[in-house]
Amino acid sequence: MFLRNMWYVAGFSADVQPGKCLARRFLNEPVVLFRTATGVLSALTDRCSHRAMPLSEGHVDGEVIRCPYHGLEFDCTGRCVRIPSQENIPPTAKVRAYPCVERYGLVWFWPGDPS
C-alpha cells in the first residue's frame, strides 16, 4: 500500500534532457518522464493505450512522445494527438498524465488525485 496524495521525487532535473525519455517505476507503476523541445516536462504512464508498448522505448518528437509500435503520438496531457493513417482519434486513446514540477534541481510528481 502506498500513499498517493503526496509529492514524490522522480529524479534530478538534469536527468530529463529535451528530446529524451526516462523510464522509471513509482509505486509499482511504470512512468515515463520526458521533456519536449520547448522544455515542457511531462510524466505519463509508460504504456501505450493501444498495445501497451512502453512509451519510453519510443522517442520524443518536438512536443509529443511517439509510441515505437504503431507510431501513436501523445502530448504532455496524455491525449493521443495523431494516429498514422487514421484521421479519427477516439477519445479513449489517452494515457494517464501525472502532475509534475521542477523544484530545487529535482523533478517531483504527484501520483494521487490530480484535482
Side-chain angles (χ1 to χ4, degrees):
M1 183 157 155
F2 299 103
L3 297 174
R4 296 204 170 265
N5 285 325
M6 61 185 301
W7 289 99
Y8 285 90
V9 173
F12 293 101
S13 294
D15 292 342
V16 188
Q17 296 295 317
K20 302 290 182 188
C21 303
L22 184 61
R24 300 288 177 146
R25 183 169 281 283
F26 301 112
L27 312 180
N28 258 355
E29 296 177 15
V31 176
V32 60
L33 301 168
F34 67 97
R35 191 181 304 273
T36 66
T38 58
V40 176
L41 181 66
S42 185
L44 302 177
T45 297
D46 193 10
R47 198 172 352 181
C48 179
S49 60
H50 180 238
R51 293 285 185 186
M53 183 73 177
L55 292 174
S56 59
E57 294 187 21
H59 65 278
V60 179
D61 186 16
E63 302 303 303
V64 298
I65 186 168
R66 183 176 296 131
C67 175
Y69 192 51
H70 284 119
L72 277 71
E73 295 178 1
F74 298 90
D75 66 11
C76 292
T77 67
R79 186 175 59 93
C80 182
V81 294
R82 182 175 177 273
I83 300 175
S85 72
Q86 181 175 327
E87 289 185 27
N88 183 28
I89 300 173
T92 56
K94 60 184 175 182
V95 295
R96 181 177 179 190
Y98 297 93
C100 60
V101 296
E102 289 183 88
R103 298 283 188 277
Y104 318 111
L106 300 170
V107 175
W108 298 79
F109 91 112
W110 181 272
D113 182 12
S115 60

